[in-house]
Amino acid sequence: MNDSVPAAGSATAAHDLPNENSLKRGDIKVLGLSALGGALEFYDFVIFVFFATVVGQLFFPPDIPEWLRQVQTFGIFAAGYLARPLGGIIMAHFGDTLGRKKMFTLSIFMMSLPTLLMGMLPTYAVIGMWAPLLLIILRIFQGAAVGGEVPGAWVFVSEHVAPRHNGLACGTLSMGLVGGILLGSLMASAINSVYTPEEVSDFAWRIPFIIGGVFGLFSVYLRRWLHETPVFAEMQQKKALAAELPLKMILREQRPAIAVAMAVTWVLTAAIVVVILMTPSLIAELEGLTRAAAFSANSLAIVAVCIGCIVSGYMVDRIGAGVTLVLWSALLGITYWIFLATMHSDPSLLVPLYCLTGFSVGIVGAVPSIAIRGFPPAVRFTGLSFSYNVAYAIFGGFTPILVSLMMTVSPLSPTWYVAALSLMGVVLGLWLALSPRGRELMEIFSFGPAPRRR
């Protein structure tokens, strides 16, 4: 049952019909440059957390309690997340009115420059309280940038490829974003292996930020070679852009699409936040494993996530969005349950089971293709950005707290949380695949130039 059939008469579909069975060379160029830029931008965003302890020691008064230093440091990290919805909505507004490419290029510039400046920022010992103040300002700019980059990149690649390759395009880009997390982890490991703790605190902590900023600015240059999406260019030519505030239009006319996009984003946060970000520390603490072993397995699991992103995106194109969501949600819930349950009895299976679970986290490659389908072109960027960023800020922000509270009841509580979200994904996927309203929402009719009122 395929619920990803493009509508007849779609301008974009018609434009790509002669080559719809294979990606064109231009499509591959767009996907490659977009995924590379996304990886570098996500690297810039997450590298902070890998050096949070060192940053906290250098950018806050030396005589404050350690717990307060950690709270303040991670408060700065959280500021980036809090800035995501506002930055994403503002950039999406201009992406729907001025062009996808302009915002796609601006987002990586807004990420790269603050990252570079972080690597050059004077510490508290040099400029006093200006150090943490400047740091939080730069972090807010980073958050605003990633809020526009992620949905903007998904929209950009989706509108460049033929509709039948939409899932693969989003999956490829998601692989790049996840790859950015892996790059950050590998860079942190390399810095801490090559330099002593004293050297890291003295100067080496700056190296990952400077490298990330420089390569990010290089990506800004590379994105100059990309062209505006055919869908937006046609809307400009036919004067079919949004006639009013895009956010107002989606809140009034696209509520079902918003609900679906926010629901699948919730599943995405469970997969990323719990399975990838929280699990290494959880299994190290609960099962007596060394942190080195847990995080090494985590790095291999992230590689499996990248592979899973491609596969799940490809499946959306071949068997439909709803069916793919059902299968991958079930896979996520089952594999994570087996993984944590087995760690109690046989920790020797850590690597293979974590990699299998990581592959199931590849559901994040299917999520953007599902989330994007209900929004017509005139408000697509705004619709996806609002839904994704607000849902991620809420669910991603509260998930660690909720899971930690649940663990006071049982150490297997993380599996309950992931299982509950997986079940929701299965139910939502069945609705999208089987109900007339769900199937209509998943049609790629909206990849044409004109918005369709519901």
Side-chain angles (χ1 to χ4, degrees):
M1 181 180 298
N2 194 326
D3 50 6
S4 60
V5 180
S10 166
T12 304
H15 172 77
D16 286 317
L17 275 176
N19 298 290
E20 66 172 359
N21 290 322
S22 61
L23 287 172
K24 298 180 293 183
R25 180 178 298 179
D27 296 335
I28 296 173
K29 170 186 171 184
V30 167
L31 290 178
L33 291 178
S34 299
L36 174 62
L40 293 173
E41 180 153 5
F42 237 65
Y43 164 92
D44 287 351
F45 188 68
V46 303
I47 195 63
F48 182 94
V49 75
F50 292 110
F51 292 91
T53 301
V54 176
V55 169
Q57 293 169 350
L58 295 173
F59 281 81
F60 292 101
D63 55 348
I64 64 173
E66 187 60 30
W67 68 267
L68 180 58
R69 186 191 314 279
Q70 290 193 10
V71 168
Q72 291 176 329
T73 303
F74 283 100
I76 290 179
F77 177 75
Y81 277 93
L82 295 176
R84 285 177 68 161
L86 180 60
I89 291 170
I90 292 175
M91 295 183 71
H93 169 82
F94 291 106
D96 279 331
T97 55
L98 299 180
R100 321 296 200 205
K101 180 187 173 182
K102 289 185 176 69
M103 294 303 105
F104 195 40
T105 303
L106 177 63
S107 65
I108 198 167
F109 178 77
M110 284 179 59
M111 177 64 75
S112 304
L113 186 59
T115 304
L116 182 62
L117 293 176
M118 281 183 180
M120 301 177 176
L121 202 61
T123 62
Y124 183 88
V126 179
I127 59 174
M129 289 306 298
W130 281 104
L133 181 61
L134 291 174
L135 186 63
I136 195 171
I137 291 173
L138 294 176
R139 187 63 187 169
I140 288 173
F141 272 101
Q142 282 189 322
V146 82
E149 165 71 15
V150 177
W154 284 332
V155 169
F156 190 84
V157 298
S158 294
E159 292 185 348
H160 263 289
V161 302
R164 67 177 287 111
H165 299 306
N166 173 264
L168 179 60
C170 288
T172 301
L173 186 59
S174 298
M175 177 196 69
L177 297 176
V178 173
I181 301 175
L182 180 61
L183 287 177
S185 176
L186 294 175
M187 175 61 78
S189 297
I191 292 294
N192 285 288
S193 298
V194 173
Y195 298 100
T196 66
E198 292 75 19
E199 289 174 329
V200 171
S201 180
D202 186 31
F203 68 91
W205 70 270
R206 298 180 182 274
I207 297 174
F209 291 91
I210 294 174
I211 290 177
V214 170
F215 277 102
L217 292 175
F218 180 65
S219 292
V220 174
Y221 172 76
L222 290 179
R223 285 189 177 181
R224 294 179 55 198
W225 298 95
L226 298 175
H227 301 289
E228 183 57 83
T229 72
V231 172
F232 187 87
E234 187 169 349
M235 286 194 300
Q236 276 187 317
Q237 184 179 4
K238 295 188 175 183
K239 302 186 184 305
L241 301 178
E244 59 180 311
L245 191 67
L247 182 60
K248 181 179 178 180
M249 289 180 64
I250 66 157
L251 292 175
R252 183 181 67 240
E253 302 176 13
Q254 306 297 326
R255 292 174 188 169
I258 291 174
V260 169
M262 294 185 81
V264 293
T265 299
W266 193 0
V267 176
L268 179 149
T269 63
I272 293 294
V273 175
V274 178
V275 181
I276 297 301
L277 299 183
M278 294 185 67
T279 294
S281 296
L282 292 177
I283 59 177
E285 179 180 347
L286 297 175
E287 309 306 331
L289 298 171
T290 65
R291 293 182 64 84
F295 280 95
S296 294
N298 179 256
S299 296
L300 294 174
I302 294 175
V303 175
V305 176
C306 294
I307 298 172
C309 286
I310 298 291
V311 177
S312 67
Y314 180 81
M315 287 178 63
V316 170
D317 295 329
R318 293 298 169 260
I319 64 175
V323 177
T324 301
L325 184 59
V326 170
L327 295 177
W328 280 80
S329 295
L331 182 66
L332 175 64
I334 292 170
T335 56
Y336 190 58
W337 189 286
I338 293 174
F339 170 57
L340 280 196
T342 303
M343 286 301 96
H344 284 286
S345 58
D346 191 358
S348 66
L349 295 176
L350 169 65
V351 171
L353 286 181
Y354 205 175
C355 287
L356 178 61
T357 306
F359 181 76
S360 72
V361 174
I363 190 176
V364 302
V367 164
S369 181
I370 296 170
I372 203 173
R373 291 168 183 246
F375 299 107
V379 293
R380 176 174 293 141
F381 197 163
T382 298
L384 181 62
S385 183
F386 173 83
S387 306
Y388 172 80
N389 283 308
V390 171
Y392 206 107
I394 295 172
F395 302 128
F398 286 101
T399 290
I401 300 173
L402 179 59
V403 171
S404 297
L405 290 175
M406 291 172 63
M407 288 187 66
T408 61
V409 178
S410 169
L412 288 179
S413 293
T415 64
W416 301 351
Y417 182 82
V418 173
L421 269 295
S422 298
L423 179 60
M424 185 185 76
V426 170
V427 173
L428 178 61
L430 290 173
W431 181 76
L432 294 175
L434 300 178
S435 74
R437 186 69 182 92
R439 287 178 58 80
E440 179 191 4
L441 200 65
M442 287 298 98
E443 291 176 356
I444 316 184
F445 67 83
S446 56
F447 279 75
R452 170 172 165 179
R453 296 181 65 91
R454 298 191 179 282

